């Protein structure tokens, strides 16, 4: 827990933390802006019943920093930021509160661009748009683009391992067929892959069966002999035990923070399983909302190009992990290499070839 905010900001390179309170609407919110070196800070707004102000602050800071990594992984010229509203969305979320939050974000004058997250729906964002210019993720559902990005990440991983990117005839096991996993399963089946899925929700499994996927019970998905294991449900699913037992060659999925620990990443690397770092491979949705914010309407060709860039960034990181392992004489996992790759980009302020340009405020 953070005891000295200034020390934390200095250590982690935060630019700004804004705390907002409005007596009338009962809004209590924090916006953490990690960096605007490359452009506005971007990140969703979460509404959650935090047990204390410190928990809310902690969440805002850690999620904002993670967003900087995601922006680098997405190759977009934004920085990381995060908004949190303290309160129970089911009980405390009123139109007055949303308006007050929207006016607060407006007062930051574009330094922070936000959208939906846990506890804040697309409908809420649409309503807030009446009072704030700096909202995105309104007209397009990012999930299908996230799925498309994961698909490209899988192809790049195949190419890196086998020199051939086709997924035809490959067996992919997907954990979780929600908004992203379902679309991914569909794309994979269309591209000739054999797909096995698991979910806690039976209806979703039935839908997957209807387009040719096979289904297993949730606990069985880890044991499937397959080419690619794709975590698309929750974070932290690959602990050391799972890393030791997976029977696949590649791990590539949409879930955030898939590895429970760095040690799990190392075990995968030692076993010759190629792990596609989550914050790079799941960037398709972020690329989409960034495009929506800048251009309003999506230009499909440009968006497709930018999402396909996920594959290039992954290959860069895979090569880096190989090079660092050689140089240091120890296994450097792709996860660790991705962190070092992102930190280096952060330090150098290096731009990507993305067409998304700098500063929007
Ligand atoms: N939606 C996006 O654009 C996006 C972008 C980046 C990252 N992500 C991450 O990807 C993951 C999936 O996102 P989503 O939008 O599809 O979420 P979602 O809530 O629509 O789907 C998650 C699915 O996982 C299932 N599930 C939960 N626990 C499970 C378990 N133990 N075994 C099997 N299935 C289980 C749920 O029943 C649900 O169908 C999340 O971790 C999310 O944070 C999503």
């Amino acid at each position: 827990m953070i005891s000295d905010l200034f020390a934390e900001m200095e250590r982690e390179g935060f630019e700004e933390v804004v705390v907002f309170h409005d007596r009338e609407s009962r809004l209590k919110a924090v916006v953490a802006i990690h960096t605007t070196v490359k452009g506005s800070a971007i990140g969703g707004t979460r509404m959650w019943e935090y047990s204390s102000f410190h928990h809310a602050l902690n969440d805002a800071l850690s999620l904002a920093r993670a967003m900087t990594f995601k922006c680098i992984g997405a190759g977009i010229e934004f920085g990381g930021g995060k908004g949190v509203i303290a309160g129970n969305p089911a009980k405390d979320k009123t139109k007055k509160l949303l308006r007050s939050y929207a006016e607060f974000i407006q007062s930051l004058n574009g330094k922070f661009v936000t959208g939906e997250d846990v506890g804040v729906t697309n409908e809420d964002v649409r309503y807030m748009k009446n009072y704030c210019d700096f909202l995105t993720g309104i007209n397009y559902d990012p999930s299908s683009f996230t799925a498309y990005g994961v698909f490209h990440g899988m192809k790049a991983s195949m190419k890196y391992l086998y020199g051939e990117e086709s997924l035809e005839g490959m067996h992919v096991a997907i954990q979780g067929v929600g908004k992203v996993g379902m679309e991914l399963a569909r794309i994979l089946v269309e591209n000739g892959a054999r797909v096995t899925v698991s979910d806690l929700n039976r209806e979703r499994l039935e839908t997957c069966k209807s387009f040719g996927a096979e289904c297993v019970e949730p606990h069985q998905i880890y044991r499937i002999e397959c080419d690619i294991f794709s975590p698309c449900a929750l974070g932290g699913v690959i602990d050391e035990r799972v890393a030791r037992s997976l029977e696949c060659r590649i791990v590539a999925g949409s879930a955030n923070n898939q590895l429970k620990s760095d040690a799990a990443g190392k075990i995968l690397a030692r076993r010759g399983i190629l792990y596609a770092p989550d914050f790079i491979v799941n960037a398709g949705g972020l690329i989409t909302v960034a495009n929506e914010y800048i251009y309003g309407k999506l230009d499909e060709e440009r968006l497709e190009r930018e999402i396909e860039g996920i594959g290039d960034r992954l290959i860069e990181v895979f090569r880096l992990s190989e090079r660092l392992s050689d140089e240091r004489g120890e296994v450097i996992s792709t996860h660790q290499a991705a962190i070092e790759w992102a930190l280096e980009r952060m330090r150098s302020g290096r731009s990507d070839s993305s067409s998304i340009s700098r500063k929007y405020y």
Side-chain angles (χ1 to χ4, degrees), residues 127-153:
Y127 174 73
M128 290 195 286
K129 187 75 182 157
N130 295 318
Y131 307 99
C132 178
D133 300 321
F134 308 112
L135 291 161
T136 189
I138 293 164
N139 298 317
Y140 300 91
D141 174 8
S143 309
S144 56
F145 298 95
T146 302
Y148 185 57
V150 174
F151 173 67
H152 275 283

Side-chain angles (χ1 to χ4, degrees), residues 73-251:
I76 58 170
E77 303 239 316
F78 283 80
K82 196 79 187 182
V84 303
I85 300 174
N88 181 333
K91 289 197 305 213
D92 305 326
K93 197 164 64 182
T94 59
K95 290 255 186 277
K96 218 177 199 177
L97 178 135
L98 289 172
R99 177 175 176 166
S100 176
Y101 182 72
E103 287 169 349
F104 162 45
I105 299 304
Q106 183 70 17
S107 75
L108 300 176
N109 207 22
K111 210 176 239 187
F112 176 55
V113 176
T114 193
E116 66 179 89
D117 195 55
V118 178
V120 175
T121 64
N122 179 271
E123 201 186 324
D124 299 333
V125 178
R126 281 171 187 269
Y127 174 73
M128 290 195 286
K129 187 75 182 157
N130 295 318
Y131 307 99
C132 178
D133 300 321
F134 308 112
L135 291 161
T136 189
I138 293 164
N139 298 317
Y140 300 91
D141 174 8
S143 309
S144 56
F145 298 95
T146 302
Y148 185 57
V150 174
F151 173 67
H152 275 283
M154 288 179 176
K155 291 211 299 187
S157 306
M158 289 290 296
K159 185 151 192 195
Y160 184 76
L161 278 187
Y162 305 115
E164 169 59 62
E165 64 171 28
S166 169
L167 287 156
E168 199 171 345
M170 295 296 125
H171 186 185
V172 184
I174 305 178
Q175 179 186 46
V177 277
K179 295 189 289 295
V180 178
M182 176 83 76
E183 183 61 20
L184 178 62
R186 222 186 281 274
I187 298 174
L188 285 164
V189 168
E190 275 167 22
N191 281 271
R194 175 181 167 203
V195 177
T196 303
V197 304
S198 75
D199 203 296
L200 305 176
N201 180 321
R202 296 266 152 203
E203 260 175 56
R204 290 180 176 278
L205 294 179
E206 289 307 317
T207 311
C208 289
K209 271 189 201 159
S210 74
F211 59 76
E214 298 159 48
C215 305
V216 294
E217 291 300 319
H219 68 277
Q220 291 174 322
I221 200 79
Y222 299 109
R223 297 196 204 130
I224 290 184
E225 263 183 59
C226 58
D227 298 286
I228 305 178
F229 173 61
S230 184
C232 294
L234 308 169
V237 291
I238 306 179
D239 58 16
E240 294 175 39
R241 192 181 54 82
V242 169
R244 273 191 209 98
S245 61
L246 284 176
E247 303 260 11
C248 61
R249 288 301 316 279
I250 294 167
V251 174

